[in-house]
């Protein structure tokens, strides 16, 4: 994993997100359920990066979750943010909230009210996000997978709210979890065209930045695992920041159980596959006993946890909440283990600080 670097180590330029200053231009991607909570987000923020708490079924450990999952989740957003603040009192800590989340608006308002510095939204077009944070200090960032999607967001926010994103996260086809690409694109190598999309998104952000008299930074995400990956996007493509998620899973500070981290350490390249989630979106995960069984049979859903729009329990092959909660609890035989394309490169447990030093040196 370690790469030779014969030149001097130079500090990277800080990342400005509105009036927020991250001394190191590295965001930690949001990972639900229970993989990126206060422990990981706080540790990343303490190192000068941007720590992200995933709100996806964030309250799954709470005793009230079975009775009322959504209200429990909304309460736990504030609790996790408070715990992360104790780890990094001066750090930048945000929430990742999927647009596909049921009662998405309530999640955004809860995060903003609880003092999230940044709200990141993908898995759909966050058309109404500016209005949902009005009156708060929360900065907002859409996650997009193409220039076309970015242009739609900029146009909508400019026209209806007179606002632009504080940050744009452009996520490529090597990312983990739910993906903003068609399955055939993921198999046919959409990554070859992603650099071109990134450059067009940078130009788009610059045009709107000139209109609004401010810089709108763009972060590249998806498949960033090594120092070489980071340098490619920061130095060659020219983005202002990078976002990594998979690389942080095998850190001591990650909120995932050791069994989950071990699945990454044990995975070979051939074990990382594209699968279709119960809501019909393609996703990237580790092919384990559970996925192999789901390829042959359906697991009836007996309880709906109100997680994602677009899920029809009577037709879904399995409950994605149950599968992800199992993963977060270390019950991997019954778990969906989301990961990025380069998860197989994980070969040791390290610290968040070591990840920063490796990626940004």
């Amino acid at each position: 994993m370690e790469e030779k670097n014969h030149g001097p180590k130079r500090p990277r330029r800080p990342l400005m997100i509105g009036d927020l200053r991250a001394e190191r231009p590295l965001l930690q991607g949001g990972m639900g359920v229970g993989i990126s909570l206060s422990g990981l987000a706080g540790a990343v923020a303490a190192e000068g990066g941007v720590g992200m708490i995933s709100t996806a079924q964030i309250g799954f450990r709470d005793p009230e979750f079975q009775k009322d999952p959504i209200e429990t989740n909304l309460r736990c957003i504030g609790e996790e943010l408070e715990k992360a603040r104790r780890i990094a009192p001066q750090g930048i800590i945000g929430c990742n909230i999927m647009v596909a989340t049921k009662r998405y608006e309530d999640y955004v308002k809860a995060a903003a009210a609880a003092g999230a510095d940044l709200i990141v939204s993908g898995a759909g077009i966050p058309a109404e996000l500016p209005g949902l944070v009005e009156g708060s200090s929360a900065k907002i960032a859409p996650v997009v997978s193409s220039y076309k999607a970015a242009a739609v967001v900029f146009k909508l926010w400019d026209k209806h709210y007179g606002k632009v994103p504080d940050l744009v996260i452009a996520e490529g086809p090597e990312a983990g979890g739910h993906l903003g690409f068609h399955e055939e694109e993921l198999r046919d190598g959409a990554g070859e065209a992603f650099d071109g999309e990134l450059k067009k998104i940078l130009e788009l952000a610059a045009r709107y930045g000139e209109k609004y008299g401010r810089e709108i930074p763009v972060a590249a995400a998806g498949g960033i695992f090594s120092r070489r990956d980071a340098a490619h996007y920061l130095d060659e493509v020219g983005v202002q920041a990078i976002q990594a998620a998979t690389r942080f899973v095998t850190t001591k500070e990650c909120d995932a159980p050791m069994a989950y981290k071990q699945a990454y350490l044990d995975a070979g390249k051939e074990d990382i596959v594209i699968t279709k989630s119960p809501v019909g979106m393609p996703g990237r995960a580790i092919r384990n006993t559970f996925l192999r069984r789901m390829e042959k049979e359906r697991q009836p859903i007996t309880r709906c946890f109100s997680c994602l729009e677009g899920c029809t329990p009577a037709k879904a092959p399995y409950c994605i909440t149950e599968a992800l909660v199992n993963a977060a609890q270390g019950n991997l035989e019954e778990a969906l283990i989301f990961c990025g394309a380069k998860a197989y490169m994980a070969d040791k447990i390290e610290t968040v600080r070591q990840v920063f030093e490796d990626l940004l040196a």
Side-chain angles (χ1 to χ4, degrees):
M1 188 185 302
E2 188 67 27
E3 297 177 20
K4 292 181 180 180
N5 181 10
H6 300 292
K9 292 184 178 181
R10 295 182 300 170
R12 293 285 184 180
R13 178 187 174 196
L15 169 66
M16 297 301 301
I17 308 172
D19 58 2
L20 297 175
R21 178 187 173 98
E23 293 301 326
R24 306 172 90 175
L26 174 55
L27 297 93
Q28 160 251 312
M31 295 174 283
V33 170
I35 308 305
S36 65
L37 296 174
S38 56
L40 178 57
V44 169
E47 290 298 326
V50 179
M52 297 300 300
I53 294 170
S54 170
T55 66
Q57 304 297 50
I58 190 172
F60 75 97
R61 292 192 181 99
D62 191 282
E64 296 297 311
F65 180 75
Q66 295 287 332
K67 186 189 304 181
D68 194 341
I70 292 182
E71 291 302 324
T72 303
N73 288 336
L74 294 176
R75 170 170 52 80
C76 286
I77 289 172
E79 293 175 4
E80 287 295 321
L81 280 167
E82 184 179 349
K83 286 190 282 188
R85 290 269 179 236
R86 292 193 209 117
I87 300 170
Q90 305 302 320
I92 300 175
I93 300 165
C95 288
N96 183 291
I97 308 172
M98 294 185 293
V99 178
T101 303
K102 285 188 176 179
R103 285 178 57 184
Y104 166 75
E105 296 85 356
D106 291 331
Y107 279 80
V108 172
K109 290 177 181 178
D117 294 314
L118 174 67
I119 293 176
V120 171
S121 282
I125 298 293
E128 300 175 357
L129 183 55
L132 298 175
V133 300
E134 197 167 338
S136 77
S137 61
K139 304 300 184 288
I140 50 178
V143 181
V144 297
S145 296
S146 67
Y147 165 78
K148 182 178 179 181
V152 168
V153 171
F154 272 95
K155 184 176 181 180
L156 286 173
W157 290 11
D158 178 38
K159 179 179 179 181
H160 296 290
Y161 300 99
K163 292 185 178 180
V164 287
D166 296 293
L167 167 74
V168 177
I169 299 173
E171 188 173 86
E174 293 189 327
H178 289 119
L179 302 165
F181 296 85
H182 296 296
E183 193 168 339
E184 56 271 21
E185 290 180 306
L186 296 168
R187 299 188 192 284
D188 295 341
E192 297 175 8
F194 186 57
D195 282 6
E197 291 292 297
L198 267 174
K199 289 174 181 177
K200 289 195 291 184
I201 292 170
L202 282 164
E203 292 170 1
L204 178 73
R207 288 201 304 273
Y208 275 91
E210 185 175 349
K211 177 178 178 179
Y212 280 81
R214 51 184 290 195
E215 181 181 24
I216 304 170
V218 175
I224 298 175
F225 199 93
S226 69
R227 185 181 306 175
R228 183 174 297 170
D229 297 330
H232 169 71
Y233 289 113
L234 290 167
D235 300 330
E236 297 173 23
V237 178
V239 297
Q240 289 83 9
I242 53 171
Q243 175 179 286
T246 292
R247 180 68 190 268
F248 284 109
V249 169
T250 50
T251 60
K252 292 178 181 178
E253 298 91 339
C254 180
D255 299 277
M258 187 58 213
Y260 189 100
K261 299 175 188 181
Q262 191 64 48
Y264 275 50
L265 297 177
D266 293 341
K269 190 174 184 178
E270 69 282 358
D271 298 318
I272 299 170
V273 298
I274 301 300
T275 183
K276 184 173 285 189
S277 91
V279 294
M281 300 168 67
R284 181 172 279 110
I286 295 175
R287 190 168 185 261
N288 59 353
T289 301
F290 175 77
L291 271 190
R292 285 192 287 269
R293 190 169 73 250
M294 290 304 100
E295 290 168 2
K296 300 175 182 178
E297 61 186 59
R298 179 177 179 268
Q299 184 170 286
I301 297 175
T302 58
R303 166 78 195 279
C304 178
F305 292 92
S306 302
C307 58
L308 299 176
E309 296 286 0
C311 179
T312 306
K315 297 180 180 179
Y318 59 89
C319 174
I320 193 167
T321 285
E322 286 188 353
L324 292 173
V325 166
N326 284 336
Q329 293 177 334
N331 178 18
L332 302 192
E333 294 299 305
E334 301 296 330
L336 173 62
I337 309 171
F338 275 145
C339 70
K342 295 180 180 176
Y344 68 93
M345 294 176 67
D347 59 6
K348 63 184 177 183
I349 299 296
E350 54 191 338
T351 65
V352 163
R353 175 167 293 181
Q354 287 171 322
V355 172
F356 269 82
E357 290 174 350
D358 184 47
L359 292 181
L360 296 181

